Amino acid sequence: MHYPSKRFIKFMIVGVINTLFGYSLFSLLILLSFRYEIAALISTVCGVLFNFKTIGIIVFQNKNNYLIFKFIVVYIIIYLLQILLLKQLVAYKINIFVAGALILPPLALVSYTLNKIFVFPKYQ
């Protein structure tokens, strides 16, 4: 049986913290009547800064601040996927809060994979 790596487990634990931060901000902005595209953008931008440090240091043991540019590219991709998935689910009349929660697991897997391959490949 293949078990998840320690790095992936750390990523998931850190991801829970990062997700609580980002999803709480997203939900707050929705409650304040922001459009979901804007709420997702603001929560993603704030999340990128918060997540870069937690993922870089805790998961990949890396403090290189120059990697933020690659990290931003990854989160632009994540943001675009988020909007695409939210748009699809909202079109099916799924509540925006439920839709936001439903897309978290697949986006987490994409984020981990892109960070591992593109942002922190030397720190495996």
Side-chain angles (χ1 to χ4, degrees):
M1 178 177 252
H2 179 72
Y3 295 103
S5 69
K6 287 182 183 178
R7 178 164 287 132
F8 183 73
I9 292 169
K10 283 182 184 179
F11 180 83
M12 294 310 291
I13 292 168
V14 168
V16 168
I17 295 165
N18 294 348
T19 299
L20 286 172
F21 174 79
Y23 188 70
S24 296
L25 182 56
F26 172 77
S27 296
L28 175 65
L29 293 171
I30 292 293
L31 289 172
L32 293 173
S33 300
F34 282 74
R35 292 182 44 88
Y36 70 84
E37 299 92 343
I38 301 301
L41 177 63
I42 292 169
S43 64
T44 298
V45 168
C46 292
V48 164
L49 300 174
F50 183 77
N51 299 358
F52 178 69
K53 284 302 184 183
T54 58
I55 290 171
I57 293 170
I58 297 170
V59 178
F60 293 100
Q61 291 79 47
N62 182 280
K63 296 180 182 179
N64 183 349
N65 288 328
Y66 292 108
L67 295 175
I68 187 80
F69 301 108
K70 288 182 178 183
F71 196 79
I72 289 170
V73 170
V74 165
Y75 274 87
I76 289 170
I77 294 166
I78 297 300
Y79 170 73
L80 294 174
L81 286 172
Q82 180 183 23
I83 294 304
L84 176 69
L85 293 171
L86 285 172
K87 188 175 205 167
Q88 292 297 315
L89 293 174
V90 167
Y92 284 104
K93 307 293 183 211
I94 295 175
N95 176 282
I96 189 67
F97 296 104
V98 173
L102 287 174
I103 66 173
L104 291 174
L107 289 178
L109 290 173
V110 172
S111 175
Y112 176 75
T113 303
L114 291 176
N115 275 297
K116 183 178 173 185
I117 293 169
F118 183 63
V119 181
F120 302 103
K122 297 176 185 174
Y123 307 97
Q124 303 300 318

